[in-house]
Amino acid sequence: MGEAALVLLVGLGLGAVFAATDHAVLTADAHGIGVPIRRATRLLLTQRRTTLAPDRLLWRIGCVAVPLLAFGSLAVVPITGSSLLSTTADLVWFNTMEVLLWGAVWLAGWGPNAVHALTGGYRFLAQGLAYELPLMFAIITAGLGAGSLNAESVVAAQDGMWFVVTMPVAFAAFLLGAAGFAFWGPLSAPAGADIAGGVMSELSGVDRLSVEAGRAVFLGSAAAMAATLFLGGGHGPWLPGTAWLLIKTLLVIGAMILAGRRMPVVRPERFMDVAWIVLIPATLVQALAVALLVISGYYG
Amino acid sequence: MLTDVTLAVLGVLAVAAGGAVFTVDSMARATYALLASFLAVAGIVLTLDLTYLAVVTALMMTMEMAIMGVFMVMFMMNPGGLMPMTMMHNTRGAAAVGVAVFALLTTGIWTIDWPDARGRPSRDSTHQLAEALMGSHMLVMVVVAAALFATIIAGTVLATHRGRYDRFGPNLDARPPRDPIPGGLPR
């Protein structure tokens, strides 16, 4: 029970930090953590508007699924040294939560029976075909180095050296994938201004809160997972493991916003070329290099 | 006991969602009803402590259904997909085949003389599965992977209606190529 509450709390906290930092960087309006809280309260109190002949059932399922999947992905991150759900396939679990988001976001775009939302949903899937394979190779590379798909074992395997040292390409591909599945920053075309907000365009009130908050929690959770898989998780001197993990997660969040907000939004069809011609070979070579290091006994 | 109840509930859910595919009137709903059925099956596998198989089932099926839904909606006579449609064709024949196969499988499952479990289940079923699949059958898997990949590429090559002459002109010297989508890298 306490573990579940912790995941909920850490997820909301990281999501709020991400949203607040993102807002501050975009608008130079540094009101800190109050911004997302105020916005959430306002959305909670706003009445929902609807469209003509929406597919209400699928629309609601899509909106509700986004935050549920975000917390589900955080459940396999070992926050206190152990995770809420410790399985023999944590890394695949995280990946599955992110893939279920494909369905959720497309439904959120499909549901309102509106052209811009539907276009956004299609863009999300098209973009998914681009970032998904590099993201999968990045995740599996960390599992390969640790010889296990369990997140705690991956952290344990980084006792001597962080995985980012031997897996820099996988680390970068993971963060890019995170931007992709949260349709944020350079990969925010599914919610782009050129299609009036895309999948978000018809969302209002509590539905909008659900998707926006879920997206922020997903970004925070992805940063925590990046710290776990590549930056040694809770390893570090003096401070307890949980503190180290949170510090690293906050640094990853900062780095993501710093890098992501310097880039323009990439058109999905252009990103597709880059992903298949550059990213997939790069992540495959990265996995090959790690596999050779594993065979040579480098990771012990 | 709790496991039995969970399995029964998920089983009923899987069949019910599968049935819903043929009763709902929109392609999007049919697609996601099918996904719900697959997710219930993944839940069954998860209840049986085969975590890796369960999450991989959920992962693959979600991806497949998400992409399939797009194509199904696209190829429909009414591309909006919100107007009523039905998934039924050859109703009587399909029902007969469905009932016959269901009866055959159920009879088989309940009457077969299943071997008793020997030894204790492994703590790490993922590792055990990897050993079973990849340990002694690595060569087969590698050959199958290459064959599958070649099939995908061959299928794409056969399906595309544009060849290099369409892209680069009759003398293959048109630069840049005439592509409907410009792409993000120099060509």
Side-chain angles (χ1 to χ4, degrees):
Chain A
M1 204 57 223
E3 289 263 289
L6 181 76
V7 166
L8 214 62
L9 207 70
V10 170
L12 285 175
L14 290 177
V17 168
F18 201 106
T21 318
D22 201 27
H23 177 82
V25 166
L26 278 183
T27 59
D29 162 29
H31 277 95
I33 212 83
V35 175
I37 293 175
R38 263 207 309 282
R39 182 163 173 73
T41 319
R42 194 169 67 234
L43 286 176
L44 256 183
L45 299 174
T46 313
Q47 195 180 8
R48 211 163 29 196
R49 63 186 161 78
T50 190
T51 52
L52 183 68
D55 192 335
R56 206 161 269 129
L57 175 70
L58 293 187
W59 198 8
R60 297 277 184 275
I61 291 177
C63 292
V64 171
V66 176
L68 288 182
L69 295 171
F71 287 113
S73 73
L74 194 61
V76 291
V77 176
I79 299 170
T80 55
S82 62
S83 48
L84 174 62
L85 283 181
S86 183
T87 70
T88 51
D90 286 352
L91 305 195
V92 192
W93 174 281
F94 181 86
N95 207 187
T96 302
M97 291 299 124
E98 169 266 312
V99 167
L100 279 165
L101 194 63
W102 286 31
V105 174
W106 189 76
L107 287 181
W110 171 266
N113 188 24
V115 66
H116 286 135
L118 186 62
T119 312
Y122 282 151
R123 275 191 186 179
F124 185 79
L125 288 186
Q127 211 163 257
L129 292 177
Y131 69 72
E132 187 58 41
L133 283 174
L135 176 65
M136 280 179 164
F137 291 141
I139 293 176
I140 214 66
T141 304
L144 185 63
S148 167
L149 294 175
N150 179 274
E152 293 160 19
S153 311
V154 174
V155 173
Q158 299 177 75
D159 196 9
M161 190 193 286
W162 295 356
F163 275 170
V164 70
V165 178
T166 47
M167 309 172 187
V169 179
F171 181 59
F174 182 87
L175 292 184
L176 192 69
F181 66 68
F183 48 104
W184 169 87
L187 299 183
S188 63
D194 56 334
I195 45 172
V199 283
M200 313 287 272
S201 59
E202 297 297 341
L203 296 175
S204 54
V206 69
D207 286 343
R208 193 174 190 93
L209 174 65
S210 174
V211 173
E212 280 191 5
R215 182 162 100 146
V217 173
F218 237 125
L219 283 163
S221 153
M225 198 50 159
T228 304
L229 294 185
F230 301 103
L231 301 181
H235 286 305
W238 310 306
L239 293 174
T242 311
W244 271 117
L245 180 70
L246 289 179
I247 291 171
K248 289 172 187 173
T249 305
L250 292 179
L251 287 176
V252 172
I253 288 178
M256 276 178 85
I257 293 175
L258 204 66
R261 287 303 181 192
R262 274 174 197 279
M263 286 182 236
V265 177
V266 190
R267 295 180 63 85
E269 76 268 19
R270 310 195 76 160
F271 180 57
M272 185 68 89
D273 253 26
V274 178
W276 280 77
I277 298 173
V278 178
L279 280 179
I280 290 182
T283 43
L284 276 176
V285 169
Q286 166 78 88
L288 176 68
V290 170
L292 291 176
L293 287 177
V294 169
I295 291 175
S296 73
Y298 178 79
Y299 296 107
Chain B
M1 183 59 204
L2 188 67
T3 313
D4 288 351
V5 173
T6 317
L7 287 178
V9 169
L10 285 171
V12 170
L13 211 65
V15 175
V21 173
F22 298 97
T23 53
V24 293
D25 63 355
S26 106
M27 191 54 92
R29 286 195 177 194
T31 305
Y32 281 87
L34 190 54
L35 176 59
S37 180
F38 284 133
L39 290 182
V41 172
I44 290 175
V45 182
L46 190 66
T47 314
L48 297 173
D49 270 342
L50 298 167
T51 316
Y52 178 78
L53 279 183
V55 279
V56 151
T57 305
L59 187 151
M60 302 299 283
M61 287 307 145
T62 310
M63 253 184 193
E64 265 170 44
M65 290 303 121
I67 300 301
M68 187 194 80
V70 172
F71 281 92
M72 296 290 268
V73 170
M74 196 159 66
F75 290 140
M76 271 172 67
M77 281 169 281
N78 135 43
L82 277 173
M83 299 237 308
M85 50 72 78
T86 172
M87 291 283 278
M88 309 273 226
H89 311 285
N90 183 20
T91 323
R92 282 206 199 130
V97 172
V99 169
V101 171
F102 184 79
L104 185 75
L105 289 176
T106 317
T107 324
I109 289 167
W110 285 103
T111 53
I112 201 167
D113 188 17
W114 294 105
D116 291 322
R118 277 177 293 123
R120 240 180 291 143
S122 161
R123 266 190 41 244
D124 190 347
S125 58
T126 307
H127 190 259
Q128 203 181 19
L129 179 75
E131 282 289 335
L133 281 179
M134 295 296 190
S136 52
H137 306 301
M138 198 56 172
L139 185 63
V140 181
M141 285 297 179
V142 169
V143 173
V144 167
L148 278 177
F149 189 56
T151 312
I152 293 171
I153 292 185
T156 313
V157 169
L158 289 176
T160 183
H161 65 286
R162 296 177 70 251
R164 55 188 166 145
Y165 291 106
D166 301 298
R167 296 188 66 214
F168 296 112
N171 297 321
L172 297 179
D173 55 3
R175 293 290 184 285
R178 281 190 293 272
D179 287 335
I181 295 166
L185 291 172
R187 301 191 171 188

